[in-house]
Amino acid sequence: MVQSAKQKQWKSVLAPWQQIDWLLLLTVAGLTGIGSLMIRSTELNQGLSNYWWQHALLGAVGVGLVLSVSRLRYERLVDATWIVYGVTNLSLLLVMIIGVTASGSQRWIPVAGFNIQPSEFAKLGLIISLAGLLHKNTAAQLGTTLKVLGIVALPWSLVFLQPDLGTSLVFGAIALGMLYWGDANPGWLILLISPGISAILFNVYLPAWLMWVALAGTLALWTLPWRWWGFFGALSINLVAGRLGQLFWDLLQDYQKDRLILFLDPSQDPLGGGYHLIQSRIAIGAGQLWGQGLYQGTQTQLNFIPEQHTDFIFSAVGEELGFAGAIIVLLGFWLVCLRLIIIAQNAKDNFGSLIAAGTLAMIIFQVLVNVGMTMGLAPITGIPLPWMSYGRSAMLTNFLALGLAESVMNYRHRLRF
């Protein structure tokens, strides 16, 4: 009888969160805990002692945010879609006016002694804005797809000019992921990224570039409603993309150019732009199967990788926890992505489904690029590892996005009268 009363008491306490995905929340909390542990390891011999507990404290605040946001009805954001979009762009404009510059980039706004990075919160603002558009108009209509590109163009440009190449790439991934989930023709998505691929191939291997241009033209002929106009348009855009790529290349900072080039052969500048990548690969390789042990990694403890607690935290995981620890972390992210897909599939409306899909696109792209760059499989772009890299704005953004996804799960059943 007593046990029954306790069960009823617990049920009444948990009633507001009965429908949320607890496995998803616990997995994210576990990844945050591992992140705190590894950040502490990177601090031990650097004279630092506060990043790890700040990360853990912010993680606890983030879990509270998830529980709070999941109780709110996400569908109320539908009417505030354009307000969110306006605030997002306004915050990015403020960065250009009163922002703080560091490492050649103007990305932060000082607020009450803390530096806030609006471009991180802009990711969530973009997800809400695109969900507000696509839930009414399917992306199967070419006009809707063009509207999405127009919506993305303004915040993308403001972030690119900071310059923040990594976040601008995340914006592109969010747009493509939500367009795909919104039933856009996959051929259109390939055509959207074709100029970028053409720009790269033009400067790498001309025969491959010519083949890609021909493929883009053929794809446009098959998928676009204006068959021959689309064919010649796709050919023209991809033919001039090489020159456009050179213009965009000139807009990048020198350190960004080094990051994009040196991942192919970091030995070209082992003490400069290639240093981080060389040391990261040494650290991950030294971990072997079971790792060198927590707080025992030579590359990590001897500070061979500067600022390892941020973008290169996965190299500490690989060195000290080994292949086994790295696989556990990757399985954790896999589970997060799987649960987000389930939420998107079971949402009661398109708006909620698109929010979950946008969150999924944001998380999976950041994980793939961050882990890839620590191993030399992707350029170094300054994209943090969600919930594990130190960074207040990025951490809060990920938790807020998770809270919205949990709200979609919590209110997946339609109201009954």
Side-chain angles (χ1 to χ4, degrees):
M1 195 66 135
V2 175
Q3 187 174 358
S4 177
K6 287 183 177 180
Q7 288 178 347
K8 289 182 180 179
Q9 184 178 6
W10 273 109
K11 284 183 178 180
S12 63
V13 171
L14 297 176
W17 301 287
Q18 279 186 351
Q19 303 298 324
I20 74 169
D21 192 329
W22 287 103
L23 179 59
L24 173 60
L25 181 57
L26 291 174
T27 302
V28 168
L31 290 170
T32 305
I34 295 174
S36 298
L37 199 65
M38 301 318 301
I39 290 172
R40 173 167 170 74
S41 179
T42 65
E43 290 181 326
L44 288 179
N45 295 302
Q46 298 183 37
L48 305 173
S49 60
N50 58 351
Y51 286 135
W52 74 272
W53 68 260
Q54 285 185 31
H55 187 86
L57 179 61
L58 198 61
V61 172
V63 171
L65 276 176
V66 172
L67 293 175
S68 300
V69 173
S70 65
R71 290 190 62 178
L72 305 176
R73 303 198 73 93
Y74 68 91
E75 58 264 34
R76 293 177 181 173
L77 287 172
V78 173
D79 297 329
T81 296
W82 297 112
I83 296 176
V84 171
Y85 184 71
V87 171
T88 297
N89 288 295
L90 180 61
S91 66
L92 295 175
L93 282 171
L94 284 175
V95 172
M96 303 180 71
I97 300 172
I98 62 172
V100 175
T101 301
S103 302
S105 299
Q106 190 174 5
R107 305 178 187 174
W108 297 271
I109 295 178
V111 178
F114 296 97
N115 286 333
I116 305 298
Q117 190 172 353
S119 61
E120 289 292 338
F121 296 102
K123 300 173 187 175
L124 181 57
L126 183 64
I127 291 172
I128 296 172
S129 301
L130 295 185
L133 172 65
L134 290 172
H135 92 284
K136 294 180 180 178
N137 305 288
T138 174
Q141 301 172 355
L142 186 58
T144 303
T145 300
L146 295 177
K147 287 180 183 178
V148 168
L149 297 182
I151 290 175
V152 176
L154 179 56
W156 183 91
S157 301
L158 293 173
V159 170
F160 186 80
L161 292 174
Q162 291 181 3
D164 189 350
L165 177 61
T167 302
S168 63
L169 291 175
V170 176
F171 278 21
I174 291 172
L176 289 174
M178 295 185 70
L179 280 171
Y180 177 79
W181 196 261
D183 204 25
N185 189 315
W188 299 349
L189 303 183
I190 296 175
L191 288 173
L192 286 177
I193 64 174
S194 65
I197 298 176
S198 290
I200 296 171
L201 293 178
F202 179 83
N203 294 281
V204 175
Y205 189 52
L206 280 178
W209 170 68
L210 291 172
M211 291 177 61
W212 178 258
V213 171
L215 177 63
T218 304
L219 193 59
L221 185 64
W222 285 347
T223 61
L224 292 178
W226 333 290
R227 294 170 59 82
W228 290 105
W229 284 106
F231 173 76
F232 288 112
L235 284 182
S236 302
I237 292 173
N238 282 274
L239 283 171
V240 301
R243 180 57 182 164
L244 291 176
Q246 186 62 47
L247 292 176
F248 276 110
W249 180 260
D250 293 337
L251 292 175
L252 297 178
Q253 300 291 326
D254 290 338
Y255 77 91
Q256 291 177 320
K257 295 178 182 178
D258 289 340
R259 286 178 171 183
L260 293 174
I261 291 176
L262 291 173
F263 90 99
L264 296 172
D265 186 10
S267 61
Q268 292 181 9
D269 189 10
L271 298 179
Y275 180 79
H276 273 77
L277 180 53
I278 292 173
Q279 299 302 324
S280 176
R281 292 198 303 194
I282 292 173
I284 293 175
Q288 299 186 37
L289 181 58
W290 301 109
Q292 296 188 13
L294 190 61
Y295 310 144
Q296 302 299 318
T298 52
Q299 301 296 112
T300 299
Q301 299 307 318
L302 296 179
N303 195 24
F304 278 100
I305 307 175
E307 302 296 326
Q308 191 178 12
H309 62 292
T310 54
D311 299 340
F312 279 83
I313 194 65
F314 189 76
S315 63
V317 174
E319 182 180 33
E320 298 194 342
L321 304 183
F323 179 79
I327 286 297
I328 290 174
V329 168
L330 292 177
L331 284 175
F333 282 115
W334 172 83
L335 184 57
V336 168
C337 293
L338 177 63
R339 302 308 298 180
L340 286 172
I341 291 174
I342 292 173
I343 292 175
Q345 289 177 328
N346 290 279
K348 69 182 181 182
D349 55 23
N350 288 336
F351 184 68
S353 181
L354 286 161
I355 285 178
T359 303
L360 169 67
M362 177 180 70
I363 297 302
I364 196 171
F365 181 79
Q366 291 181 122
V367 171
L368 289 175
V369 173
N370 181 277
V371 173
M373 76 183 188
T374 60
M375 296 187 292
L377 300 177
I380 299 173
T381 55
I383 293 178
L385 189 60
W387 298 295
M388 292 191 65
S389 294
Y390 177 80
R392 290 184 288 263
S393 297
M395 186 89 142
L396 288 175
T397 298
N398 292 329
F399 272 115
L400 285 171
L402 184 69
L404 280 179
E406 289 284 21
S407 175
V408 174
M409 188 68 172
N410 204 23
Y411 295 103
R412 65 187 182 275
H413 299 299
R414 296 184 181 275
L415 291 174
R416 296 178 180 176
F417 297 93

